[in-house]
Amino acid sequence: ATSNVSLANMAITGNSNGGVVGNNAVDFTLTDSTLTNNGSSANEGAVYMTGLTGTSALLGNVIGGSSGDNVHIVQTGGSLALTIADSGSDQAIMGTVNTVTGNDSVFVGTSGTASLTLDVDGVDFQGARGDLLQVLVAGNSTQDLTIVNNNFHNAQAGSVGGGVTLNGGGTGTNINVDFRVEDNSFTGAVDTALTALYGHQAGMVRGNIEGNTIGLDNGVVGTEGSSSGSGIFVGLEKADGPGDAGYQVNIVDNNIADVNGLAGIFLRSNGGDASNSAILEATVTGNQVGEFGDSAFAALAAQIGGSGAAVDFGQLGLVLSDNVFDLGDAGFGGNAVYLEQDSLDSHFYFPGYAGSPDGEFLGGTASADLDTFWTGMGNAFTNGGFPNFPGGVDAGGVMGATGEALVFPVWP
């Protein structure tokens, strides 16, 4: 292991085995350096660190053209505080990657009992074949993520990825993640612009998604936000086994436009059984969602109980207030809000709701009742070309929706 390595004003170009490579380093800093076209395989790149711990930073660097990821950091234990940001003198730029073997621009992963504090602030992300930023969690690891004031603009030729992907979990995992994604701009995603999808067996995820701009809200319908995915996708896919999986998220004051996939905001909660819960709770407030492409289906879509298991007890608690959901002229669009329930054992709840628990396909009136309830909370709904019900809400297949309060404290 190597400790207290600080590199500055480096120019590292065309190294076949990678730019800066380290194992079990402690306290590593790279400042005001240029790393271009490093690595010769999908498993190499500009900065590749395994087992990095301590206090580390990538500040004011220009990194691009890597054969794999531009930055790839994997932490299997210990504690790491990592900052990726501008320096006092230079803008931090993450350029595109190799058009054949490249993947993410920045990848950070934790496993085992690792503890990560990650700050990504003010970086200009310019492209990737995969995601511009991916943060993966596994094992019993803990993450505290702050992703603020960045430009996520994917101009990579042949990209199939999105903007930011926060994900992880799996069988045997017991994770704890807090994340903030705030005041960023997103354009050029092929897949979903911002994905926060977790599949833990046990543990808790808490997130705040606030003040972001996805696409170009310029009055012209386009696909600059996402050409085939959603604007924001928040999901819980609980892994089978003992333990409760929780997820609480705030989606506040975001401006989402030019989306050509399923929805501007897509929420999903699947998994769990009678003894081991899977609960996602979302507070969605003050968002402006519009300018959809022809393939868009809903401004906000929420789905529960669709894991494919014989029984699926996934739960989703949802608060909607003061949003503008405008499907406009989306060719495939139906109602502005679409709710899908795929298991008799799964459950929607909407705090304060006292209308019909069932949708029209089960003899109830939940679509109209939820439209009245949510428009009374300051929401404005505009349907697309093929709405299924009068009003802005399609809850035709909902079974047993209730109005009980959220169970998780709102964070932060």
Side-chain angles (χ1 to χ4, degrees):
T2 303
S3 301
N4 300 313
V5 176
S6 182
L7 305 176
N9 301 303
M10 307 288 291
I12 304 173
T13 301
N15 284 347
S16 61
N17 295 322
V20 178
V21 180
N23 291 307
N24 300 320
V26 182
D27 298 340
F28 169 75
T29 301
L30 178 67
T31 306
D32 296 336
S33 297
T34 301
L35 288 78
T36 307
N37 299 334
N38 290 289
S40 56
S41 75
N43 297 316
E44 297 170 335
V47 178
Y48 264 60
M49 293 281 183
T50 301
L52 180 65
T53 57
T55 300
S56 298
L58 305 176
L59 303 176
N61 302 295
V62 178
I63 301 176
S66 300
S67 60
D69 301 332
N70 281 326
V71 174
H72 185 98
I73 295 173
V74 175
Q75 184 194 8
T76 58
S79 177
L80 171 64
L82 174 64
T83 300
I84 304 175
D86 299 341
S87 69
S89 57
D90 290 323
Q91 166 76 53
I93 298 174
M94 294 292 169
T96 58
V97 296
N98 184 279
T99 58
V100 177
T101 59
N103 187 26
D104 296 336
S105 186
V106 174
F107 174 89
V108 182
T110 62
S111 62
T113 58
S115 175
L116 170 69
T117 300
L118 174 66
D119 292 313
V120 182
D121 187 347
V123 180
D124 184 10
F125 288 84
Q126 298 181 344
R129 289 182 68 236
D131 296 311
L132 298 173
L133 171 64
Q134 181 181 6
V135 185
L136 180 69
V137 60
N140 296 326
S141 56
T142 299
Q143 296 182 348
D144 187 343
L145 314 176
T146 303
I147 301 164
V148 297
N149 303 315
N150 302 285
N151 175 31
F152 294 104
H153 174 61
N154 197 341
Q156 174 88 42
S159 176
V160 296
V164 172
T165 295
L166 312 178
N167 65 338
T171 302
T173 56
N174 187 345
I175 63 172
N176 283 281
V177 177
D178 289 346
F179 69 83
R180 297 172 181 262
V181 181
E182 298 169 358
D183 301 319
N184 304 282
S185 64
F186 296 79
T187 55
V190 176
D191 203 344
T192 295
L194 171 57
T195 297
L197 172 64
Y198 292 91
H200 42 301
Q201 182 176 317
M204 187 69 191
V205 176
R206 302 184 298 179
N208 194 65
I209 300 170
E210 184 170 358
N212 301 286
T213 300
I214 296 174
L216 302 175
D217 184 11
N218 58 2
V220 178
V221 173
T223 60
E224 294 89 353
S226 172
S227 61
S228 64
S230 296
I232 296 172
F233 172 29
V234 171
L236 171 60
E237 300 279 353
K238 180 183 171 359
D240 292 338
D244 297 324
Y247 193 160
Q248 187 273 324
V249 66
N250 313 308
I251 303 174
V252 180
D253 293 340
N254 301 284
N255 193 319
I256 303 170
D258 301 328
V259 170
N260 198 38
L262 175 64
I265 299 172
F266 178 34
L267 307 172
R268 187 167 73 198
S269 181
N270 294 334
D273 56 37
S275 301
N276 302 282
S277 63
I279 301 174
L280 168 64
E281 293 186 337
T283 298
V284 181
T285 303
N287 301 281
Q288 304 282 322
V289 185
E291 289 184 19
F292 285 90
D294 286 341
S295 297
F297 181 72
L300 181 140
Q303 182 266 337
I304 57 173
S307 68
V311 291
D312 186 322
F313 284 73
Q315 300 178 56
L316 198 160
L318 177 59
V319 174
L320 288 184
S321 63
D322 299 317
N323 301 284
V324 175
F325 293 140
D326 185 357
L327 268 180
D329 295 324
F332 192 60
N335 287 73
V337 175
Y338 175 71
L339 306 177
E340 177 182 350
Q341 182 170 349
D342 295 325
S343 167
L344 287 169
D345 296 303
S346 56
H347 178 55
F348 278 113
Y349 53 103
F350 314 112
Y353 175 62
S356 172
D358 301 323
E360 286 75 2
F361 298 146
L362 296 141
T365 58
S367 296
D369 292 347
L370 283 166
D371 180 77
T372 299
F373 175 62
W374 278 328
T375 54
M377 296 181 69
N379 299 287
F381 301 138
T382 301
N383 293 328
F386 300 98
N388 292 298
F389 298 99
V393 179
D394 178 353
V398 167
M399 301 165 277
T402 58
E404 71 255 31
L406 301 180
V407 298
F408 300 134
V410 174
W411 176 89

